[in-house]
Amino acid sequence: MGGLDQQAKRDASLWRSDAAGIVEELFPVVSKEGWDLLLDLRQGLLHGTHWEKTLSLFLACRKRWEADHYLPFWRLRNLLAQSLRLSANGGAEVSREVMCRLLQQNHSSWQTWKSAAEAELSLILNPLELPLQMQLREAL
Amino acid sequence: MTTQTKTSSSTKTSPVTQALETLLADSYALLAQTHLAHWNVEGPAFFQLHAAFQTQYEELFTAIDDIAERLRALDAYAPGGLKTLAAKSSITEMASGAAPAKDFVAHLIDSQEIAVSSATALRNSAEEHGDLETQDLAIARIQTHQKTLWMLKSFLKNL
């Protein structure tokens, strides 16, 4: 059982290396001034546990380079939507469809992204549960 | 002397026919995704993309027939039915709803790349088994998918 759990965790974490690989493809096509930001995003995707920070890095990179490099950001966005779970107050999770929609919207910071997520969640949650404590975690 | 009737168990399955089945399934899934994009794409590039997607799914329809008939020529039966083909394909489905035109193009790029991988696996398997006719079919499919990829990727540039 422990072995199976380990295997499941290994399989689930494959998305991290896929995502890091997409970021690596960006290095040769963006200016060197942006490499530090890309390195931080790559590090967050590969080893991070603070997903709000990693999402902020993703949004910052997207704002800077998506217009010229749409495909890698589309791929990253899909991987994040599949692999992260957004919950409120430690309970209700948004569906994958909502997660895709939220990531599709062109927010440039974690704060505006979070506000949009709160607006989505407030529609499906009991008003007594507001205000919301938003949490991003990896789906394992 | 016993009489033999031809059943599915008497057909020949081989690495080449298995690779043909995978390419058939991926091509069918790609056709369905391209058709979905043709229907649902919106925005300033509508007329351009709507027409381009139609050209692509019509080409795929003909190709699928050729792939299935190659299976029959190798004495294997062609798999069919949406569920069966979907289970054999690794192409993902795009949600049927509003999406930016660029997302339809990006999704089709991903799907075309999977079709290139399947056609490449078929080409290699056919080469290994000395089946030049299947290899020729696979090479033609790779060329078509690569050309479509060039067009789709060009569309996404600096949009």
Side-chain angles (χ1 to χ4, degrees), chain A residues 60-80:
Chain A
C61 289
R62 182 164 81 170
K63 187 179 178 186
R64 195 158 166 181
W65 293 299
E66 188 183 52
D68 292 332
H69 307 286
Y70 194 81
L71 192 59
F73 285 97
W74 177 83
R75 286 178 169 150
L76 275 176
R77 169 163 41 104
N78 280 350
L79 277 173
L80 290 172

Side-chain angles (χ1 to χ4, degrees), chain B residues 3-153:
Chain B
T3 309
Q4 283 192 333
T5 54
K6 197 170 186 178
T7 65
S8 59
S9 61
S10 71
T11 61
K12 291 175 185 167
T13 58
S14 68
V16 174
T17 60
Q18 283 169 2
L20 271 164
E21 284 192 11
T22 304
L23 180 61
L24 179 69
D26 284 337
S27 302
Y28 221 104
L30 176 58
L31 180 148
Q33 291 304 293
T34 309
H35 216 162
L36 179 77
H38 168 78
W39 291 326
N40 288 347
V41 71
E42 294 174 313
F46 171 80
F47 287 109
Q48 203 180 349
L49 288 176
H50 183 71
F53 294 153
Q54 182 167 347
T55 305
Q56 288 164 21
Y57 75 69
E58 284 174 351
E59 190 282 329
L60 278 162
F61 190 80
T62 309
I64 285 163
D65 203 43
D66 291 342
I67 298 164
E69 288 176 1
R70 183 67 198 151
L71 271 165
R72 296 299 294 124
L74 294 175
D75 203 20
Y77 284 103
L82 293 178
K83 270 188 192 170
T84 303
L85 291 170
K88 285 176 182 286
S89 172
S90 44
I91 286 177
T92 58
E93 288 189 2
M94 197 171 181
S96 50
K102 286 187 283 187
D103 282 15
F104 282 109
V105 176
H107 176 64
L108 290 180
I109 288 172
D110 254 14
S111 305
Q112 290 276 350
E113 284 180 348
I114 291 170
V116 170
S117 295
S118 302
T120 305
L122 173 63
R123 181 200 64 193
N124 296 344
S125 181
E127 183 181 24
E128 196 181 320
H129 292 85
D131 180 346
L132 296 181
E133 292 71 25
T134 304
Q135 193 182 357
D136 185 53
L137 182 151
I139 289 169
R141 292 315 303 151
I142 293 168
Q143 286 173 331
T144 302
H145 290 302
Q146 286 177 338
K147 185 176 176 182
T148 309
L149 275 166
W150 156 60
M151 291 176 176
L152 292 171
K153 285 180 177 174

Side-chain angles (χ1 to χ4, degrees), chain A residues 71-125:
Chain A
L71 192 59
F73 285 97
W74 177 83
R75 286 178 169 150
L76 275 176
R77 169 163 41 104
N78 280 350
L79 277 173
L80 290 172
Q82 281 166 28
S83 311
L84 297 182
R85 295 286 174 270
L86 176 68
S87 60
N89 300 350
E93 280 187 353
V94 304
S95 66
R96 196 175 150 238
E97 288 70 30
V98 172
M99 195 67 181
C100 281
R101 195 164 63 241
L102 286 167
L103 284 164
Q104 199 180 68
Q105 294 163 5
N106 228 349
H107 299 289
S108 55
S109 72
W110 160 247
Q111 282 310 318
T112 59
W113 192 89
K114 188 167 159 268
S115 301
E118 283 169 351
E120 288 271 359
L121 277 171
S122 64
L123 297 174
I124 56 170
L125 289 178

